[in-house]
Amino acid sequence: MKRALFTPVFILLISLITDKSIAQAVDETNFATRLLSITKLNIHSARAYFSTDAYSYGGNSTGTLNEGAIIDLYKYNVNNQNSTYLYQIVADSVCTSGYITDKESECQQIKNSFINMGFGQVDTLIAGTEKTILLKGYLKLAIQTKQSNDNTYYIIMLTDIDKVARLIKLPMKQ
């Protein structure tokens, strides 16, 4: 009898310990903390976070990186809004999170949140686009402006460069 009770309890405890999604919560204080938190999730936690009535699945695409490492990009539309959350997965871990909006004020608010968190700005120009880069350690925030169907969209992507390098096994320079 004790063994019959012990096995299910043991399996439950092991699953709680090994399931990292339980301990992985998203800090929704502001856009910066939300994107930072999403970037720390594993694939299961990210799917669980966006599996609410607030979001609708927008699809995904798959590509490859160095030495065949697979990268998946997932899109989740914010219901009743013209905005989208994005995240990229490498080796079952989120390494990039992002947000697309058509509101310049929202984009500026996100940028200011990151600047207030100590991100330094490096401006770069890429042919045909406007792109702003903010850096802090191995975290890179890229903000890009795109025109589509007479609308302006702001694409905000936060990447943990060190995490990407480790997941695809690239050496990082100090």
Side-chain angles (χ1 to χ4, degrees):
M1 177 69 174
K2 287 182 181 180
R3 183 174 173 96
L5 249 159
F6 176 76
T7 302
V9 170
F10 180 74
I11 291 171
L12 177 64
L13 285 174
I14 294 298
S15 67
L16 289 174
I17 292 168
T18 58
D19 185 5
K20 296 177 185 173
S21 65
I22 292 173
Q24 294 182 318
V26 174
D27 180 350
E28 297 182 354
T29 303
N30 58 43
F31 279 107
T33 59
R34 179 177 290 167
L35 291 180
L36 283 165
S37 295
I38 292 170
T39 303
K40 295 177 182 177
L41 298 176
N42 63 35
I43 189 171
H44 305 294
S45 298
R47 285 182 183 155
Y49 177 72
F50 288 106
S51 295
T52 67
D53 292 337
Y55 308 101
S56 59
Y57 178 68
N60 75 302
S61 59
T62 301
T64 57
L65 290 174
N66 185 51
E67 298 181 19
I70 294 177
I71 184 165
D72 291 316
L73 173 68
Y74 291 86
K75 292 175 25 179
Y76 286 86
N77 302 318
V78 180
N79 292 338
N80 303 317
Q81 293 183 25
N82 197 18
S83 56
T84 302
Y85 278 93
L86 309 164
Y87 62 87
Q88 289 181 321
I89 301 288
V90 175
D92 290 334
S93 291
V94 178
C95 57
T96 301
S97 61
Y99 185 71
I100 301 172
T101 182
D102 61 350
K103 296 178 180 79
E104 184 177 3
S105 61
E106 197 170 39
C107 177
Q108 192 61 45
Q109 178 186 4
I110 294 168
K111 180 180 175 183
N112 290 339
S113 294
F114 278 95
I115 290 171
N116 291 338
M117 292 178 75
F119 279 69
Q121 185 167 334
V122 179
D123 286 325
T124 60
L125 291 176
I126 298 174
T129 67
E130 286 187 38
K131 192 169 190 177
T132 301
I133 306 289
L134 301 175
L135 297 170
K136 182 177 181 183
Y138 287 119
L139 295 173
K140 177 183 86 171
L141 183 78
I143 302 172
Q144 191 167 355
T145 305
K146 291 275 191 178
Q147 297 290 327
S148 178
N149 301 328
D150 296 326
N151 290 324
T152 302
Y153 291 93
Y154 304 91
I155 304 163
I156 301 129
M157 297 296 286
L158 176 68
T159 302
D160 185 331
I161 301 166
D162 180 54
K163 189 175 186 180
V164 172
R166 284 183 286 114
L167 292 172
I168 62 173
K169 297 173 178 58
L170 288 177
M172 288 296 290
K173 294 180 182 179
Q174 294 294 332

